[in-house]
Amino acid sequence: MNRRAKMVLDRELRIARIDERIYGSFIEHLGRAVYGGIYQPGHPEADEEGFRQDVVRLVKELNVPVIRYPGGNFVSNFYWEDSVGPVEERPHRLELAWRSMERNEIGINEFSRWIKQVDSQVMMAVNLGTRGIADACNLLEYCNYPSGTKYSDMRIRHGVKDPHNIKVWCLGNEMDGPWQIGHKTMEEYGRLAAETAKAMRLIDPSIELVSCGSSNRDMPTFPEWEAATLSHTYEYVDYISMHQYYGNRDNDSSDFLAQSDDMDDFIRTVIAACDYVKAKKRSKKTMNISFDEWNVWFHSNEADNDITENHPWQVAPPMLEDIYNFEDALLVGLMLITLIRHADRVKIACLAQLVNVIAPIMTDAAGGVWKQTIFYPFMHASLYGRGTALLPVISGTKHMTAGHGEITDIETVAVYNEEKDELTIFAVNRNLKEDVELTTDVRSFEGYHVLEHIVMENEDLKAANSLAEEKVYPVNGDNRSRMEDGFIISLLKKASWNVIRLGKYPAVREK
Ligand code: AHR
């Protein structure tokens, strides 16, 4: 085989303990995410509250520790009081971000009940677009204060005795974006976010706060936005947010898969901006990252523009319903590898989104649920990517791309789960023409052997799943990995997602 890569792992050489919240996700009041997604009263799978249990089961398969809510762009004109209290009294509102009709049937209290069903936690965003400090404080008092005040007692009157105790709060959403309702300059946002954070911490000092970073790496104000806004918020927040979506608009699959290198570069630059502000302030505190929107998003752009421009004010229109193919799953795998490699600074990350809207899980209004291609790499990372990210030494062959020059064939990372005595290697071969042999030095993992080598591969990069047929799914790649004197020799087929699991206990399937 002409193409090779080598990786040296040592159980003592570590990047950081992975914060499990990097396997978070996101539900926005957008399209069919809430209405017709998690909530569809009258559907045969709906429980007495209208929550679809087939959706709950799939969310639980993904084991998602935190879910951002209620937006997204939606939050920048969200009047939270509209979404609580007796449902029949809740107003219908023009939802300006997506030009839809919001009937407020689901709000904070219902969503918190759903969150319990999926064993997750809410990560709440406040409206810093059309509202400000007072409303953010009122919402926090409603959610987290036990009782005896205007808003905590209002919550109790609404039937929720115990506070929600929401830990992580986003100070607005994508405030650098001209599309945002209430878009702000960096000075305006920095001041508002700092003052909101200060006031919110007075109510509940135990919360964690996320300051808005740039909406993507191509924003004209990036990275000045990070430096300028953090110079206001640094003392008062715990994270700066990152958002990034990619697409294969030029239909150049090789170049499409190079975009995880852009994500890596984006993260490094944001870390540099954070550390610049840290130095300027002579601060001892290290700012971490909440990468709270990431995914592939481009398939549905045209259809969505048609809905917002020509067919506005619908209830739960089918928006952002990207149908993902096999190469999208490869990029999602590459993005997960990139996030794990930055486990020392990326502490929260949210796959955007979770149900129907640029989502791993899709529902059929009259039928069942189905898994998009991207469901699987996310599930593998969430299940097997818990523990400590190891610091790998990697070398290997490269190939040329049109827009990114020469890039590596193999992108990989390893996670060591000490509690379970397991080691998992995630690897993508992003060479679309040739297989690669990966040799991994695991001599420091004495007594470990290959448990299984899970693969996702497909001759057709554009193969997609649907309710009728699942064409892209993981299989056990028998004999793809073997152990020789402390080295694992793995065959990584061209264009493939690989999960190589090692452990001390008996193999899942003997090789
Ligand atoms: O996730 C879809 C949208 O993408 C979000 O509402 C917004 O924050 C981002 O632009």
Side-chain angles (χ1 to χ4, degrees):
M1 193 171 305
N2 292 331
R3 303 220 150 240
R4 294 178 191 282
K6 276 191 190 155
M7 172 159 67
V8 180
L9 297 176
D10 189 300
R11 64 199 305 166
E12 301 306 333
L13 294 183
R14 299 160 182 220
I15 298 171
R17 177 109 199 144
I18 295 166
D19 190 320
E20 63 167 21
R21 295 175 301 174
I22 70 164
Y23 305 117
S25 190
F26 175 29
I27 293 263
E28 180 167 1
H29 279 245
L30 193 189
R32 299 192 306 123
V34 173
Y35 308 108
I38 66 170
Y39 173 77
Q40 194 183 341
H43 186 277
E45 283 280 351
D47 66 6
E48 60 288 352
E49 286 201 81
F51 294 131
R52 279 184 67 156
Q53 295 303 300
D54 49 358
V55 175
V56 167
R57 283 193 291 277
L58 288 198
V59 175
K60 284 173 94 166
E61 268 186 51
L62 292 178
N63 197 7
V64 187
V66 70
I67 301 179
R68 187 164 170 253
Y69 177 84
N73 295 338
F74 169 85
V75 83
S76 291
N77 192 36
F78 176 48
Y79 283 67
W80 66 268
E81 307 89 322
D82 295 346
S83 79
V84 293
V87 176
E88 58 289 357
E89 289 171 21
R90 296 185 195 171
H92 295 182
R93 298 289 299 249
L94 297 181
E95 196 293 290
L96 302 186
W98 305 103
R99 304 191 78 211
S100 304
M101 184 62 67
E102 173 59 55
R103 295 203 293 204
N104 285 304
E105 286 166 44
I106 293 290
I108 296 150
N109 296 326
E110 292 80 14
F111 189 72
S112 295
R113 286 201 287 277
W114 179 79
I115 272 284
K116 288 204 177 86
Q117 293 196 3
V118 296
D119 300 331
S120 190
Q121 300 278 333
V122 180
M123 172 176 173
M124 189 81 189
V126 301
N127 175 0
L128 291 191
T130 57
R131 304 185 98 182
I133 305 171
D135 295 299
C137 289
N138 296 345
L139 175 58
L140 177 59
E141 184 183 309
Y142 183 92
C143 290
N144 283 17
Y145 200 73
S147 67
T149 64
K150 174 170 172 174
Y151 290 104
S152 58
D153 287 346
M154 184 190 280
R155 184 197 69 240
I156 293 167
R157 278 200 305 282
H158 292 161
V160 184
K161 185 170 165 293
D162 294 326
H164 295 305
N165 284 329
I166 296 172
K167 172 105 179 144
V168 186
W169 294 75
C170 303
L171 297 164
N173 176 71
E174 294 189 349
M175 300 309 303
D176 62 326
W179 60 86
Q180 202 67 218
I181 313 287
H183 159 61
K184 305 220 169 356
T185 66
M186 35 194 130
E187 286 304 312
E188 288 167 347
Y189 175 71
R191 289 274 306 120
L192 177 60
E195 292 305 318
T196 308
K198 264 164 66 182
M200 289 176 78
R201 281 204 191 288
L202 291 173
I203 297 170
D204 184 350
S206 74
I207 56 174
E208 293 187 336
L209 292 166
V210 185
S211 188
C212 283
S214 296
S215 299
N216 59 68
R217 199 176 70 140
D218 296 330
M219 294 301 290
T221 46
F222 172 74
E224 188 50 32
W225 174 277
E226 280 69 10
T229 57
L230 280 178
S231 71
H232 292 287
T233 59
Y234 204 88
E235 286 86 350
Y236 311 113
V237 304
D238 304 281
Y239 311 94
I240 185 155
S241 74
M242 295 182 68
H243 290 183
Q244 187 68 56
Y245 296 97
Y246 293 118
N248 188 1
R249 293 192 169 79
D250 299 330
N251 198 17
D252 179 339
S253 301
S254 247
D255 209 43
F256 171 65
L257 297 180
Q259 290 177 108
S260 56
D261 293 7
D262 298 338
M263 185 189 196
D264 183 70
D265 187 69
F266 187 19
I267 295 173
R268 287 176 195 282
T269 312
V270 172
I271 291 172
C274 293
D275 293 349
Y276 163 74
V277 179
K278 177 181 183 179
K280 219 170 70 165
K281 288 185 173 284
R282 314 295 192 252
S283 173
K284 291 206 177 344
K285 170 177 168 182
T286 298
M287 187 61 54
N288 285 319
I289 292 170
S290 170
F291 210 128
D292 45 44
E293 286 189 34
W294 68 271
N295 201 348
V296 172
W297 172 21
F298 74 110
H299 298 283
S300 62
N301 291 169
E302 239 171 80
D304 295 335
N305 290 341
D306 180 53
I307 292 178
T308 50
E309 278 164 32
N310 304 319
H311 311 283
W313 316 127
Q314 296 179 60
V315 175
M319 291 183 71
L320 280 69
E321 299 209 0
D322 277 43
I323 301 301
Y324 292 114
N325 56 33
F326 174 58
E327 67 184 15
D328 296 330
L330 292 179
L331 186 61
V332 163
L334 286 161
M335 292 174 89
L336 284 159
I337 288 172
T338 308
L339 289 169
I340 296 170
R341 277 203 206 136
H342 286 285
D344 54 336
R345 295 299 283 273
V346 179
K347 300 294 175 185
I348 302 175
C350 304
L351 173 70
Q353 298 189 11
L354 188 55
V355 182
N356 287 334
V357 170
I358 43 174
I361 298 169
M362 299 297 287
T363 68
D364 185 81
V369 283
W370 56 279
K371 297 172 183 173
Q372 295 243 39
T373 60
I374 63 169
F375 183 97
Y376 293 107
F378 186 81
M379 179 188 79
H380 292 147
S382 179
L383 293 186
Y384 305 125
R386 313 251 173 159
T388 299
L390 294 180
L391 183 67
V393 181
I394 308 169
S395 60
T397 45
K398 296 184 172 181
H399 61 275
M400 275 307 280
T401 59
H404 291 79
E406 218 179 23
I407 65 163
T408 55
D409 291 336
I410 301 301
E411 286 291 290
T412 181
V413 73
V415 177
Y416 175 32
N417 188 324
E418 263 174 294
E419 293 77 35
K420 290 188 172 167
D421 262 328
E422 276 184 17
L423 174 68
T424 301
I425 298 165
F426 299 102
V428 173
N429 179 359
R430 55 181 177 172
N431 187 316
L432 303 180
K433 298 201 181 97
E434 292 188 64
D435 301 346
V436 177
E437 187 179 271
L438 170 68
T439 304
T440 311
D441 181 342
V442 287
R443 282 175 295 175
S444 67
F445 288 90
E446 227 188 303
Y448 279 60
H449 54 262
V450 177
L451 299 175
E452 60 177 340
H453 179 154
I454 305 166
V455 286
M456 266 173 78
E457 53 198 21
N458 204 298
E459 280 303 315
D460 180 6
L461 290 172
K462 308 294 182 192
N465 296 341
S466 65
L467 180 66
E469 188 183 4
E470 183 164 80
K471 290 185 181 161
V472 181
Y473 52 88
V475 295
N476 194 311
D478 278 326
N479 304 322
R480 291 282 168 81
S481 279
R482 61 177 201 281
M483 189 77 128
E484 275 178 22
D485 302 327
F487 291 81
I488 316 162
I489 321 291
S490 306
L491 171 64
L492 307 185
K493 299 289 270 187
K494 63 180 182 182
S496 62
W497 162 253
N498 302 266
V499 184
I500 304 159
R501 297 183 55 230
L502 281 80
K504 277 189 158 171
Y505 50 87
V508 172
R509 190 175 297 189
E510 290 298 335
K511 301 281 177 291

